[in-house]
Amino acid sequence: DIQMTQSPSSLSASVGDRVTITCRASQGIRNDLGWYQQKPGKAPKRLIYAASSLQSGVPSRFSGSGSGTEFTLTISSLQPEDFATYYCLQHNSYPPTFGPGTKVDIK
Amino acid sequence: QVQLQESGPGLVKPSQTLSLTCTVSGGSISSGGYYWNWIRQHPGKGLEWIGYVFYSGSTYYNPSLRSRVTISLDTSKNQFSLNLSSVTAADTAVYYCARAERMDVWGQGTTVTVSS
């Protein structure tokens, strides 16, 4: 299985801050990666697909980059509704595997 | 707009079979060439992919659960189902269904507790 790691595991930030989350794959996955946002009691919501494509309806302050083994999710200006846990997902090879998550909370 | 909705018992006894259904609305389950997935999330933990059924009916399961999992399609009802046998407390989780390899659309999730 491809192992996905995320860093940091948690972070505290203020409204307006620029936030970057990193996801690393244990082997190359091209750009077969998505980013998800999950709020308590809710299902994950896809933000980014194909590593850097913005899901329709998702604010443009979210962006993704990377290819191969290292990927980043950036929130350019954190908003109150962005406090949540973020997961990456690789679907390059089976089984698909998720990162362990990054919890973003209020400083 | 495709929507997915999970349903099934919220409580299952140890050693029994957990059975859940995902109803798809806004699109046909048998067209579009999609994979239909089940994923679970243990309390306070991360996400674990369980398996998929392809629109053609072929399946693939997570090796860690393969011996206990069956996923099937019911095209007449536009549904797909998960059966997980011989459950234990470790199978207590929120279970989600999701569309496609890229898991673009998710159901809201259903909580299943394994307890006597």
Side-chain angles (χ1 to χ4, degrees):
Chain A
D1 298 5
I2 294 177
Q3 306 303 316
M4 305 299 292
T5 59
Q6 285 183 237
S7 60
S9 56
S10 65
L11 66 92
S12 295
S14 300
V15 172
D17 284 354
R18 182 181 182 88
V19 169
T20 299
I21 299 168
T22 298
C23 179
R24 291 185 175 88
S26 60
Q27 62 191 72
I29 58 170
R30 302 183 304 181
N31 70 337
D32 296 328
L33 183 117
W35 287 99
Y36 295 80
Q37 176 192 68
Q38 187 179 33
K39 297 182 179 179
K42 300 294 187 182
K45 171 188 172 184
R46 194 172 71 167
L47 304 174
I48 301 287
Y49 64 95
S52 60
S53 296
L54 189 67
Q55 179 74 29
S56 175
V58 173
S60 59
R61 63 181 179 273
F62 292 93
S63 64
S65 65
S67 183
T69 61
E70 186 157 332
F71 303 85
T72 60
L73 172 71
T74 300
I75 309 171
S76 60
S77 177
L78 198 66
Q79 298 301 300
E81 60 268 30
D82 301 336
F83 293 97
T85 300
Y86 294 84
Y87 295 94
C88 58
L89 162 70
Q90 72 80 20
H91 56 86
N92 176 264
S93 67
Y94 280 87
T97 44
F98 294 86
T102 295
K103 185 175 181 180
V104 177
D105 63 21
I106 301 171
K107 183 183 286 184
Chain B
Q1 182 81 351
V2 170
Q3 294 184 312
L4 283 64
Q5 177 70 59
E6 305 88 349
S7 60
L11 180 64
V12 181
K13 290 181 170 25
S15 80
Q16 293 189 342
T17 296
L18 178 162
S19 296
L20 297 175
T21 296
C22 182
T23 300
V24 179
S25 58
S28 171
I29 199 170
S30 55
S31 65
Y34 288 114
Y35 296 82
W36 300 96
N37 300 274
W38 285 99
I39 302 106
R40 69 180 182 179
Q41 187 169 34
H42 293 105
K45 302 294 186 183
L47 297 154
E48 178 184 31
W49 178 78
I50 298 170
Y52 74 68
V53 58
F54 197 38
Y55 79 108
S56 63
S58 62
T59 56
Y60 190 94
Y61 305 134
N62 193 322
S64 66
L65 295 167
R66 183 173 291 152
S67 63
R68 299 194 291 131
V69 172
T70 304
I71 300 175
S72 58
L73 278 177
D74 186 339
T75 55
S76 67
K77 295 181 179 178
N78 222 36
Q79 296 175 335
F80 63 106
S81 298
L82 167 70
N83 280 351
L84 181 65
S85 64
S86 305
V87 298
T88 70
D91 295 307
T92 293
V94 177
Y95 286 76
Y96 296 100
C97 54
R99 184 183 76 167
E101 279 185 297
R102 295 183 173 189
M103 299 187 213
D104 57 347
V105 181
W106 292 58
Q108 66 185 29
T110 189
T111 299
V112 178
T113 301
V114 178
S115 175
S116 56

